Amino acid sequence: MADKLIIFDTTLRDGEQSPGASMTKDEKLRIARQLERLKVDVIEAGFAASSNGDFEAVQSIANAIKDSTICSLSRANDRDISRAAEALKSANRARIHTFIATSPLHMEKKLRMTPEQVLEQAKLAVRFARNQVADVEFSAEDGYRSEMDFLCRVVEAVIKEGATTINIPDTVGYAIPELYGNFIKTLRERVPNSDKAVWSVHCHNDLGMAVANSLAGVKIGGARQVECTINGLGERAGNCSLEEIVMAVRTRRDYFGLDVGIDTSQIVPASRMVSQTTGFVVQPNKAVVGANAFAHASGIHQDGVLKARDTYEIMRAEDVGWSANKIVLGKLSGRNAFKQRLQELGIEMDSETEINTAFAKFKELADRKSEIFDEDILALVSDESVTSEKEQYGFVSLAQHSETGERPHAAIVFTVEGKEVHGAADGNGPVDASLKAIESHVKSGAEMVLYSVNAISGSTESQGEVTVRLQHSGRVVNGVGADPDIVVASAKAYLSALNKLHSKADRVAAQG
Ligand code: KIV
Ligand code: ZN
């Protein structure tokens, strides 16, 4: 039997640290359920000690998820570790992931600690964590830029204290595949008790090599756990992407000789869910989950694929969860058909009220758009007004006028704490006018740092999905809105971003 590669997903912790990607507890829970369907081995649900919101998110995920191990990050101190243990109390399988930086630069400039102090703190932290749970991961932050002799001493000591997984992050994305692979290999060879723990890799993508480095850590270094995120979401250039790692190991099993327990048919639904929840759009040419990943545009390729698929295809689109754009529901579909499709898509709604709200939105959409695809349903259930009753701002209606040679004008009706208000403004274009119409009333003072539009299912008949990123007082939030009318989608996205700015307490990550 081949060795197993453990897939450790950190979308809800390291991924969430990406500016603007912070999620509410409910959003995190929905993604955790999808990660469970994907059959990831370990879900890093958050950093329990970082905020009350994150504590509650870890706690609710630990309560709800039965099949995956649930993990919380914690710094190497008793308070953080106790908070993590407390949040994980109800988990079927709980892991505490404690970390401290070990590179000269981080120890001296960030921690202002001597190497001996760091060594001592790492040992105490792992000892304390092992008294709470049996499964303890230790990460040497900025491990790849640490001195080999010192790192060997730290790793040997924490394994003696009971660490069951040793993670060597390339925190700043500085590694090169061959060098990183050999770094892990040397560590494993030099640490006398290295066989008592599972070795793990955690790579950032600053030089675009996170996946290559992780694979080298596995192949050359002998690591048996990879830490990764859906769509490669993460700070700066992101983390190692789960879909790429999984499909590389699966597709080239001849080379890696490893098994992964992932249900790959859940990859695309997971990618969509993370993108729609965070507002981080997936680039069309992204491997595995990009819209073009399986599109053969050139005549030569199309001809080859028609004659024999494997001339140009190394993976099958359906194996990673791409369904051919099929019309799944229409105007005449009833509540039961809608409910069943939600179940087939793996979407769990907490209450009948939520299903009723979603169904009403579906009917509204089906009146305006004759063909409803899975993508439309996914966008619809990501709509905050379906999953949350108590948003500060809600969209009601929009009228706008634009004509060549005239300055566009928009008049909008929206709710503030349930009460309807009106706003009107001119703008450079209809979208600009609509958002200024909202601001004429809200006066948020937020700066827009990103605006993007994407066609959900390809054609101009599709819904437009708009992402708006706002910045205010050092906080960054993303809002997402979908509608067949992209001006309306823009207004919805803007209101969604304002809701996120407003609901400070609800956002679980301590960002900015
Ligand atoms: O990149 C990093 O070093 C981390 C650790 C906290 C594991 O995310
Ligand atoms: Zn990281």
Side-chain angles (χ1 to χ4, degrees):
M1 216 178 89
D3 273 1
K4 184 176 172 191
L5 184 64
I6 297 168
I7 301 297
F8 175 116
D9 180 277
T10 183
T11 307
L12 301 176
R13 198 279 297 171
D14 222 353
E16 203 207 16
Q17 279 172 224
S18 187
S22 68
M23 300 169 229
T24 62
K25 185 176 89 179
D26 290 347
E27 287 167 342
K28 287 186 107 182
L29 188 56
R30 198 168 340 135
I31 291 175
R33 289 201 167 111
Q34 179 59 25
L35 294 173
E36 187 181 37
R37 281 189 285 275
L38 193 58
K39 298 195 188 333
V40 308
D41 301 287
V42 186
I43 298 173
E44 187 161 54
F47 184 171
S50 69
S51 68
N52 287 341
D54 221 11
F55 178 88
E56 285 167 23
V58 175
Q59 197 172 42
S60 67
I61 292 169
N63 258 323
I65 302 299
K66 297 295 162 225
D67 298 340
S68 312
T69 295
I70 307 302
C71 171
S72 170
L73 186 70
S74 68
R75 282 163 297 198
N77 64 58
D78 293 3
R79 183 197 161 265
D80 268 30
I81 295 169
S82 301
R83 284 296 273 171
E86 173 76 19
L88 292 168
K89 229 165 34 197
S90 61
N92 260 3
R93 278 184 290 274
R95 174 180 295 188
I96 292 178
H97 176 191
T98 186
F99 75 100
I100 190 163
T102 52
S103 67
L105 191 63
H106 278 224
M107 289 190 292
E108 190 193 324
K109 302 277 192 254
K110 187 181 82 171
L111 298 176
R112 298 183 197 284
M113 287 169 76
T114 64
E116 292 313 310
Q117 286 171 327
V118 166
L119 173 65
E120 207 43 41
Q121 193 158 328
K123 280 164 52 181
L124 289 175
V126 171
R127 193 180 307 159
F128 189 72
R130 266 313 295 262
N131 283 331
Q132 323 277 328
V133 293
D135 186 349
V136 173
E137 172 168 333
F138 173 79
S139 278
E141 192 192 5
D142 206 18
Y144 180 64
R145 293 194 301 171
S146 304
E147 280 167 4
M148 181 58 76
D149 287 351
F150 177 63
L151 192 52
C152 285
R153 283 178 63 210
V154 173
V155 170
E156 182 183 353
V158 296
I159 295 177
K160 267 196 197 136
E161 295 293 347
T164 43
T165 300
I166 297 296
N167 184 41
I168 309 295
D170 175 24
T171 303
V172 292
Y174 182 68
I176 303 290
E178 191 186 351
L179 301 180
Y180 184 69
N182 280 322
F183 192 78
I184 306 287
K185 181 169 185 270
T186 308
L187 272 168
R188 286 184 59 234
E189 282 166 1
R190 287 192 40 190
V191 171
N193 49 1
S194 66
D195 61 327
K196 304 274 183 301
V198 173
W199 288 73
S200 167
V201 287
H202 176 118
C203 297
H204 282 264
N205 204 31
D206 299 67
L207 293 173
M209 289 186 281
V211 172
N213 288 333
S214 304
L215 290 171
V218 169
K219 182 70 183 173
I220 306 173
R224 286 297 175 265
Q225 173 176 286
V226 174
E227 303 197 353
C228 46
T229 60
I230 303 289
N231 299 336
L233 186 69
E235 264 182 295
R236 309 185 306 277
N239 285 54
C240 169
S241 114
L242 178 144
E243 56 279 4
E244 293 178 24
I245 276 287
V246 167
M247 291 317 291
V249 172
R250 175 72 60 95
T251 308
R252 295 307 310 271
R253 197 179 181 286
D254 59 319
Y255 178 71
F256 290 102
L258 291 169
D259 285 333
V260 278
I262 296 294
D263 176 354
T264 59
S265 69
Q266 293 296 328
I267 285 180
V268 169
S271 163
R272 291 224 181 98
M273 189 183 282
V274 169
S275 154
Q276 283 173 344
T277 307
T278 60
F280 277 69
V281 178
V282 174
Q283 74 196 55
N285 58 329
K286 166 89 172 60
V288 185
V289 293
N292 288 352
F294 292 89
H296 299 274
S298 92
I300 296 172
H301 287 205
Q302 278 177 354
D303 181 54
V305 168
L306 287 176
K307 286 178 178 145
R309 279 179 82 151
D310 52 4
T311 48
Y312 287 101
E313 264 186 21
I314 57 163
M315 300 171 271
R316 291 190 317 174
E318 51 274 35
D319 289 350
V320 296
W322 282 105
S323 56
N325 269 356
K326 45 178 200 307
I327 305 159
V328 289
L329 293 171
K331 200 175 161 146
L332 300 177
S333 308
R335 190 177 178 281
N336 279 346
F338 177 70
K339 200 172 159 184
Q340 188 185 335
R341 194 62 203 146
L342 288 179
Q343 273 161 9
E344 285 161 5
L345 287 170
I347 298 161
E348 285 176 42
M349 297 235 150
D350 292 336
S351 62
E352 286 299 306
T353 322
E354 254 182 44
I355 296 177
N356 290 342
T357 315
F359 183 61
K361 295 252 167 203
F362 158 75
K363 280 289 190 190
E364 251 172 54
L365 182 63
D367 271 341
R368 290 187 296 144
K369 187 173 183 290
S370 53
E371 301 171 333
I372 305 283
F373 301 112
D374 284 346
E375 289 81 353
D376 294 311
I377 298 176
L378 286 166
L380 193 142
V381 297
S382 304
D383 185 336
E384 286 152 14
S385 57
V386 170
T387 48
S388 166
E389 296 117 40
K390 48 176 189 337
E391 290 295 355
Q392 173 80 353
Y393 304 107
F395 176 82
V396 179
S397 66
L398 174 73
Q400 54 84 14
H401 179 80
S402 63
E403 200 176 318
T404 310
E406 276 187 25
R407 195 158 162 78
H409 180 81
I412 187 160
V413 184
F414 60 105
T415 53
V416 181
E417 288 176 344
K419 256 185 65 195
E420 279 194 8
V421 296
H422 296 248
D426 290 349
N428 290 348
V431 171
D432 189 44
S434 305
L435 305 194
K436 284 193 169 122
I438 296 174
E439 272 300 325
S440 70
H441 188 92
V442 174
K443 299 188 180 16
S444 71
E447 183 196 351
M448 189 183 297
V449 287
L450 178 132
Y451 170 82
S452 82
V453 191
N454 181 36
I456 289 188
S457 49
S459 75
T460 51
E461 286 178 356
S462 117
Q463 289 199 82
E465 185 177 62
V466 173
T467 300
V468 165
R469 185 173 300 162
L470 298 181
Q471 186 165 6
H472 189 257
S473 313
R475 290 182 75 226
V476 183
V477 294
N478 282 337
V480 184
D483 197 274
D485 177 335
I486 59 161
V487 186
V488 172
S490 305
K492 287 181 176 175
Y494 196 79
L495 292 170
S496 146
L498 289 177
N499 278 329
K500 290 185 177 179
L501 274 184
H502 185 261
S503 69
K504 273 191 188 145
D506 234 22
R507 305 277 116 200
V508 296
Q511 292 187 348

